[in-house]
Amino acid sequence: MRPYVILNAAMTLDGKIATATGSSNISGEEDLKRVHEIRKDCDAIMVGIGTVLADDPRLTVHKIDANPDDNPVRVVVDSKCRTPIDSRITNKDAKTIIACANEYKEDFKASDRYETFKKRGVKFFFSGDKRVDLVSLMSYLHEEGIEKLMLEGGATLNFSMIKAGLIDEIRICVAPMVVGGVNAKTFFDGEGFDTMDEAIRLELVDSFNLGMDLILTYKVLK
């Protein structure tokens, strides 16, 4: 058993989620509100450590009317235990779970950082050798009562999740802009597939305009 996983992101027409310098203000104000509606509707929101280090996000519901109980559980995939002590995802606004790999478990649990996190109520889940076992993580989150999870991952986590068959739905905002750049960040990267026959198939189930943006919703075909 695992949560129902919705991958949500905004990208440019040429498939970029950020420029090479990290600029990622892509979607309009209407789409930002849509994103927070999804957050409000989900039990948890998950990001990778790269997002935490680059953006220091709150991962709360704050662009729309909401109360503290509407904030989802914040989940960070952080194989090497690199989450900074002063990250906003460690505050009291919502519960936080950090997933780490077993290779780094003993050293991290012996550190002062671990004790500080514990005092703040942050929970840890360890799985996998050098990288977090995402299948085990999804099972653990389901046991924690998380039935619907919103994934706001970076390109590497996105690919790892979809390759493992752990994404059920993709909601994407396509903004009318082109940035180019061979080093700009794409919606998915990772090792990729060798052939088109291996590609993950999708079914378009909804589409609509939102301001200047185009919103597409796909079901992932199993």
Side-chain angles (χ1 to χ4, degrees), residues 41-218:
D41 186 50
C42 287
D43 302 307
I45 178 172
M46 188 168 82
V47 299
I49 181 60
T51 297
V52 173
L53 295 176
D55 302 332
D56 191 22
R58 283 183 281 178
L59 301 184
T60 56
V61 182
H62 54 269
K63 293 288 186 181
I64 59 175
D65 290 336
N67 58 61
D69 291 339
D70 293 321
N71 288 329
V73 176
R74 302 171 293 195
V75 182
V76 180
V77 179
D78 177 15
S79 293
K80 298 180 181 179
C81 309
R82 293 186 292 157
T83 300
I85 286 291
D86 57 353
S87 296
R88 293 196 290 181
I89 55 95
T90 69
N91 62 27
K92 299 293 186 180
D93 290 346
K95 296 179 180 178
T96 300
I97 298 171
I98 300 177
C100 307
N102 284 317
E103 179 175 327
Y104 309 93
K105 180 178 181 178
E106 297 307 318
D107 287 345
F108 177 60
K109 293 185 76 171
S111 69
D112 292 338
R113 291 175 60 242
Y114 178 69
E115 293 302 320
T116 301
F117 281 129
K118 282 181 60 179
K119 290 176 182 177
R120 295 182 185 177
V122 177
K123 298 178 70 173
F124 287 85
F125 174 74
F126 294 89
S127 67
D129 296 325
K130 296 180 181 295
R131 297 177 62 182
V132 172
D133 183 325
L134 295 172
V135 174
S136 296
L137 174 58
M138 291 300 107
S139 179
Y140 167 76
L141 294 178
H142 187 268
E143 292 172 1
E144 289 288 300
I146 295 170
E147 297 183 358
K148 185 185 291 187
L149 181 144
M150 179 183 186
L151 173 61
E152 287 194 20
T156 301
L157 180 57
N158 289 347
F159 183 76
S160 296
M161 285 286 289
I162 202 165
K163 183 181 180 182
L166 298 174
I167 295 177
D168 301 285
E169 185 177 325
I170 297 175
R171 301 183 189 180
I172 183 75
C173 167
V174 182
M177 59 178 73
V178 173
V179 296
V182 67
N183 294 318
K185 299 176 182 179
T186 57
F187 191 18
F188 293 92
D189 58 25
E191 67 270 27
F193 295 114
D194 292 331
T195 68
M196 288 296 177
D197 289 340
E198 299 172 90
I200 305 297
R201 304 296 173 176
L202 311 173
E203 177 186 359
L204 180 65
V205 295
D206 192 23
S207 63
F208 59 92
N209 292 103
L210 189 60
M212 295 291 290
D213 301 323
L214 173 63
I215 311 300
L216 303 171
T217 299
Y218 292 91

Side-chain angles (χ1 to χ4, degrees), residues 11-31:
M11 71 177 187
T12 62
L13 185 61
D14 55 335
K16 309 298 186 181
I17 60 173
T19 66
T21 62
S23 176
S24 60
N25 53 326
I26 295 173
S27 54
E29 189 63 29
E30 298 97 329
D31 184 61

